[in-house]
């Protein structure tokens, strides 16, 4: 997760950057979902049944803190399909774990909206295109309007929900319009996720955009972040799954704010790029623990081994390699001067294309010149 807006503001104003104290875990509490999204890494389905019991979840929550986890993103499937989702969140709060909700918004209703706002520290609603594009991508006609209505309902009740948008060939037509939507709705956060080849994303590898189009979009995101900053607009732009965006921001500072380059570079090194298996992890509905939601291998099962023993293990070869800083990555990463910033990018994408976890990220769009300090 690359907090673009926060880095611009904190660097230009010589402030401390926003950092995560501890690991953040994306927990898929269910594989049930009312939609059939093309990019879904968990292959969620409406006919699935919940396999995790509340008792199993409760027993694991106490182990999260012991493993250094301070943040949990409630995901799925669709997490609001679980009737005990609020009980789970309350249990986490008792253990001083901050909770975020990632939802398609369709089950946000007048009867539960206040409880959602009171329970979760942040609410993210997925919007993958304007109207027909979103409905087609998510497999249900009318789902776009229901998600928009959910955002408005949350706002009317005193909360604010951010928007999550995944960039693919199927959604790229709506890319520029997403910024108009965010401004129109007065949403305070737009999370733009680059596609990772996993789950249905792997099956639909051909829906990823070209490197040329990605550069165009990243340039625009950076321009917008500066525009919002200069105009005093409280819209937080964040990108995900493409740590090379940090190098693009650094290049912009070299041109426009050379006196701030050293400070930004220090902040980017402290951020550390891809954090899968270190400050980021994933737990699924079957008990499996992975370094990130897209990772092709599990590192343990929290229903069989206490979570903290899995996450804090110093004997797991994959975790040890992921936690090297910088990682030892092959290909063009081996000679890149900025490996200590991006940390090699997505291991899931590397494996999907090459069959080697430690090859270069095939989606890296940096030129040979940009890879040199």
């Amino acid at each position: 997760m690359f907090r673009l807006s926060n880095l611009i503001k904190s660097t230009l104003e010589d402030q401390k950057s926003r950092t995560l104290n501890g690991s953040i875990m994306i927990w898929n509490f269910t594989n049930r979902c009312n939609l059939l999204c093309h990019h879904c890494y968990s292959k969620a389905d409406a006919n699935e049944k919940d396999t995790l019991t509340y008792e199993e979840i409760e027993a694991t929550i106490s182990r999260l803190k012991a493993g250094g986890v301070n943040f949990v993103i409630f995901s799925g499937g669709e997490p609001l399909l679980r009737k005990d989702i609020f009980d789970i969140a309350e249990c986490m709060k008792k253990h001083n774990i901050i909770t975020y909700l990632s939802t398609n918004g369709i089950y946000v209703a007048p009867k539960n909206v206040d409880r959602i706002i009171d329970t979760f520290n942040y609410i993210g609603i997925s919007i993958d295109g304007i109207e027909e594009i979103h409905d087609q991508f998510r497999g249900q006609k009318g789902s776009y309007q229901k998600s928009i209505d959910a955002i408005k309902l949350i706002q009317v009740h005193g909360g604010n929900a951010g928007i999550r948008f995944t960039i693919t060939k199927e959604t790229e037509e709506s890319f520029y319009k997403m910024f108009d939507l965010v401004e129109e709705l007065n949403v305070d956060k737009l999370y733009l996720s680059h596609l990772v080849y996993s789950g249905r994303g792997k099956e639909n590898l051909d829906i990823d955009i070209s490197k040329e189009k990605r550069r165009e979009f990243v340039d625009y995101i950076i321009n917008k972040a500066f525009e919002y900053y200069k105009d005093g607009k409280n819209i937080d732009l964040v990108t995900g799954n493409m740590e090379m965006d940090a190098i693009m921001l650094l290049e912009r500072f070299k041109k426009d704010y050379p006196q701030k380059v050293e400070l930004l570079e220090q902040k980017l090194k402290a951020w550390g790029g891809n954090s899968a298996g270190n400050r980021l992890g994933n737990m699924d509905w079957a008990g499996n623990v992975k370094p990130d939601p897209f990772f092709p291998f599990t590192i343990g099962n929290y229903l069989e081994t206490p979570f903290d023993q899995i996450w804090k293990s110093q004997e797991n070869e994959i975790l040890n390699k992921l936690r090297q800083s910088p990682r030892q990555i092959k290909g063009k990463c081996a000679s890149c001067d900025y490996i200590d910033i991006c940390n090699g990018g997505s291991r899931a994408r590397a494996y999907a294309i090459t069959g080697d976890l430690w090859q270069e990220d095939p989606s890296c769009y940096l030129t040979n010149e940009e890879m040199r300090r």
Side-chain angles (χ1 to χ4, degrees):
M1 185 180 297
F2 182 54
R3 302 180 186 279
L4 177 59
S5 296
N6 177 265
L7 276 164
I8 289 174
K9 179 179 175 64
S10 65
T11 303
L12 293 181
E13 297 182 7
D14 292 320
Q15 298 175 350
K16 185 177 180 180
S17 299
R18 180 182 174 187
T19 56
L20 288 177
N21 179 25
S23 297
I24 185 167
M25 199 62 51
I26 301 170
W27 197 340
N28 307 101
F29 291 105
T30 179
N31 202 34
R32 287 193 295 145
C33 189
N34 53 322
L35 299 180
L36 197 66
C37 307
H38 292 182
H39 65 314
C40 180
Y41 61 81
S42 60
K43 299 183 180 180
D45 188 274
N47 297 318
E48 293 283 347
K49 295 182 179 180
D50 289 335
T51 55
L52 274 179
T53 67
Y54 176 79
E55 289 72 26
E56 289 170 331
I57 293 170
E58 183 181 33
T60 302
I61 289 174
S62 63
R63 295 287 189 166
L64 294 178
K65 271 290 188 178
V69 174
N70 292 329
F71 310 85
V72 172
I73 297 176
F74 283 51
S75 188
E78 171 50 51
L80 289 179
L81 280 170
R82 282 197 69 118
K83 295 180 180 180
D84 57 1
I85 202 70
F86 296 109
D87 296 327
I88 295 170
E90 288 301 325
C91 183
M92 288 197 188
K93 286 193 173 186
K94 291 178 182 177
H95 288 83
N96 296 314
I97 295 173
I98 295 173
T99 59
Y100 304 146
L101 176 66
S102 178
T103 175
N104 58 42
I106 292 177
Y107 289 104
V108 176
K111 64 180 180 181
N112 66 8
V113 63
D114 289 325
R115 193 171 186 186
I116 289 173
I117 294 170
D118 293 340
T119 299
F120 296 99
N121 296 77
Y122 172 74
I123 305 162
I125 294 182
S126 299
I127 305 285
D128 283 305
I130 305 300
E131 200 73 38
E132 292 181 4
I133 291 177
H134 173 95
D135 288 355
Q136 181 176 359
F137 192 67
R138 293 200 161 255
Q140 185 181 111
K141 188 174 178 59
S143 60
Y144 172 81
Q145 192 56 54
K146 291 177 182 177
S147 297
I148 295 296
D149 290 343
I151 293 173
K152 292 179 178 179
L153 181 63
I154 290 169
Q155 291 175 334
V156 167
H157 283 254
N160 207 332
I163 288 178
R164 300 169 55 87
F165 174 78
T166 301
I167 304 170
T168 72
K169 282 182 182 176
E170 292 181 302
T171 65
E172 64 178 330
E173 184 181 329
S174 292
F175 172 80
Y176 296 107
K177 297 176 183 177
M178 295 307 299
F179 296 86
D180 297 332
L181 179 65
V182 165
E183 295 168 22
E184 176 189 335
L185 293 176
N186 195 29
V187 167
D188 61 1
K189 182 176 180 178
L190 175 60
Y191 177 86
L192 301 119
S193 177
H194 297 272
L195 183 68
V196 179
Y197 319 134
S198 182
R200 291 195 193 104
K202 182 178 180 181
E203 293 170 7
N204 290 277
L205 179 60
D206 58 346
I207 70 173
D208 198 13
I209 61 175
S210 66
K211 292 183 181 181
E212 292 75 20
K213 179 62 71 171
R214 195 183 309 283
R215 288 185 66 95
E216 175 189 325
F217 285 171
V218 173
D219 269 334
Y220 187 83
I221 295 169
I222 292 174
N223 287 338
K224 269 296 184 181
F226 275 109
E227 176 188 316
Y228 290 154
Y229 172 73
K230 292 173 182 177
D231 292 345
K233 291 184 178 178
N234 185 31
I235 301 176
D236 189 19
L237 297 184
V238 179
T239 67
N241 306 314
M242 192 61 61
E243 289 75 18
M244 304 78 182
D245 294 354
I247 314 305
M248 293 284 281
L249 179 63
L250 189 62
E251 289 296 316
R252 184 64 56 85
F253 266 76
K254 288 179 181 179
K255 295 177 182 177
D256 298 342
Y257 304 97
Q259 73 280 11
K260 296 288 186 178
V261 168
E262 184 177 351
L263 176 59
L264 176 60
E265 193 159 353
Q266 290 173 0
K267 289 176 178 289
L268 292 176
K269 288 180 180 179
W271 165 63
N274 186 281
S275 60
N278 190 6
R279 297 189 307 276
L280 173 68
N282 174 241
M283 304 160 68
D284 73 12
W285 58 90
N288 297 310
V289 181
K290 298 191 291 184
D292 69 34
F294 314 100
F295 209 81
F297 303 110
T298 64
I299 57 172
N301 188 294
Y302 59 83
L303 298 178
E304 301 170 358
T305 305
F307 170 81
D308 53 311
Q309 292 183 24
I310 297 171
W311 196 244
K312 296 179 73 174
S313 171
Q314 296 182 353
E315 299 177 359
N316 187 288
E317 182 180 359
I318 289 178
L319 283 182
N320 288 341
K321 286 187 175 182
L322 287 174
R323 290 171 178 175
Q324 289 180 345
S325 184
R327 295 171 181 158
Q328 301 302 305
I329 308 296
K330 305 172 188 176
K332 68 180 187 179
C333 295
S335 59
C336 179
D337 291 340
Y338 293 107
I339 185 68
D340 56 347
I341 288 179
C342 92
N343 211 18
S346 171
R347 300 300 85 222
R349 275 195 296 255
Y351 186 82
I353 299 301
T354 69
D356 185 347
L357 276 176
W358 313 110
Q359 264 296 346
E360 66 185 61
D361 184 336
S363 290
C364 177
Y365 52 74
L366 297 179
T367 65
N368 290 333
E369 291 75 18
E370 289 167 337
M371 292 165 57
R372 304 287 174 261
R373 278 191 168 90

